[in-house]
Amino acid sequence: MSSIVSVSTAQPLLSSNDSAVLQALFDAESSPASAVTIDHALPPLPCIPADGNLEALKAREVYAIRQLQHDSSREAIEGVIAELDAVITENPSYPSAHVNRAQALRMLAEGGGHNDGNDGESSLFLPENSDIATRLFADLDQAITLTRPSSPTSPISPLQARILADAHTHRGYLLLKAAKIEPEKRKQGGLVWLQRLESDQLEQMASVDFFSGGRYGNKAAQQLAVQTNPYAKMCGAIVREAMRKEVEGG
């Protein structure tokens, strides 16, 4: 995409920049990632100055998130979020910390190590988690904004590609999850922008994010972009109906 907008204001219709999805309608292996030029000679992150001590930032970030490998309790998750808060406060243009804080926020909304029997993945959209959900989407939006290339054809670094792939795929997954929630339940949630959108609109937005995630190298996103693309689904329905009629006619 040439311009990433906040999910709260994104339009449900596919943009012209996403028309390349049509080339991959029936071939998930056509690899939209091939359109991205990865240049290993580029600075890892253009949003971090050469003297921005990137390695020190990475070390602080890794130290924080590794704690969750041993303890996924609510208290541990809140501690990790607090550490990432400090990193982002001191270095707001460091996109990877935004991506990892979004993941930690999702874990927090889903109940940490226990979800009391609820569907943890859907709990993010409950009214009581509206603040967490707002922060989560804002983090993913910010990571994309900080990392996106100056134009769709501009070369990017391997780290840029990874962050963009992770952020777009995560956001696409959440939009697709929201699309599957019953409309009435979704409208009772705490995110105002989510209440205004229909399921098919959310699924189209998820498809756009999956396309971008796949374009930057996420293999799962490449598959999901094809599965959720409205044109592919429409054509698939036509084929299934034709096959049904042929079987019944025979």
Side-chain angles (χ1 to χ4, degrees):
M1 293 184 185
S2 60
S3 177
I4 304 297
V5 297
S6 169
V7 75
S8 60
T9 58
Q11 296 300 313
L13 298 178
L14 297 176
S15 71
S16 58
N17 288 327
D18 298 303
S19 61
V21 175
L22 295 173
Q23 299 175 12
L25 279 179
F26 303 106
D27 182 11
E29 300 303 320
S30 60
S31 184
S34 62
V36 175
T37 301
I38 305 296
D39 187 344
H40 291 263
L42 289 173
L45 291 172
C47 50
I48 300 292
D51 59 351
N53 204 4
L54 179 59
E55 292 306 314
L57 288 175
K58 288 181 180 178
R60 291 179 64 186
E61 178 186 18
V62 169
Y63 174 77
I65 61 180
R66 277 186 176 172
Q67 297 178 59
L68 296 179
Q69 295 178 354
H70 310 290
D71 186 357
S72 60
S73 66
R74 186 177 185 87
E75 292 74 17
I77 296 170
E78 289 175 338
V80 169
I81 292 172
E83 291 185 41
L84 293 174
D85 285 347
V87 172
I88 292 171
T89 298
E90 297 172 23
N91 306 273
S93 60
Y94 181 47
S96 184
H98 287 281
V99 171
N100 280 306
R101 187 171 66 178
Q103 181 63 31
L105 287 166
R106 179 175 151 200
M107 292 176 65
L108 186 65
E110 291 175 0
H114 46 82
N115 58 27
D116 299 324
N118 295 318
D119 179 359
E121 291 184 340
S122 297
S123 62
L124 175 66
F125 303 105
L126 294 175
E128 57 265 34
N129 286 326
S130 60
D131 289 343
I132 293 176
T134 298
R135 292 182 65 196
L136 192 163
F137 277 103
D139 266 336
L140 295 177
D141 291 349
Q142 184 68 354
I144 292 169
T145 298
L146 289 169
T147 317
R148 67 188 179 198
S150 56
S151 75
T153 57
S154 296
I156 60 175
S157 72
L159 183 55
Q160 275 182 278
R162 179 180 64 78
I163 292 173
L164 285 166
D166 289 349
H168 277 294
T169 302
H170 192 176
R171 192 171 68 177
Y173 173 81
L174 294 178
L175 290 169
L176 185 60
K177 187 69 181 178
K180 294 180 179 179
I181 298 174
E182 294 180 14
E184 289 306 314
K185 289 185 178 180
R186 191 169 64 244
K187 291 176 181 179
Q188 294 171 6
L191 295 178
V192 175
W193 63 265
L194 194 63
Q195 299 171 8
R196 297 171 179 169
L197 297 172
E198 301 297 332
S199 295
D200 59 341
Q201 294 174 319
L202 288 167
E203 189 166 335
Q204 287 182 49
M205 291 166 66
S207 182
V208 171
D209 263 328
F210 286 139
F211 175 77
S212 294
R215 182 171 180 268
Y216 291 114
N218 188 293
K219 299 297 183 182
Q222 290 177 19
Q223 297 286 339
L224 287 165
V226 176
Q227 295 173 23
T228 56
N229 185 275
Y231 301 110
K233 292 173 67 177
M234 178 181 67
C235 293
I238 292 172
V239 171
R240 287 193 298 272
E241 179 64 16
M243 290 178 66
R244 183 186 66 79
K245 291 182 178 179
E246 182 176 347
V247 170
E248 291 179 352

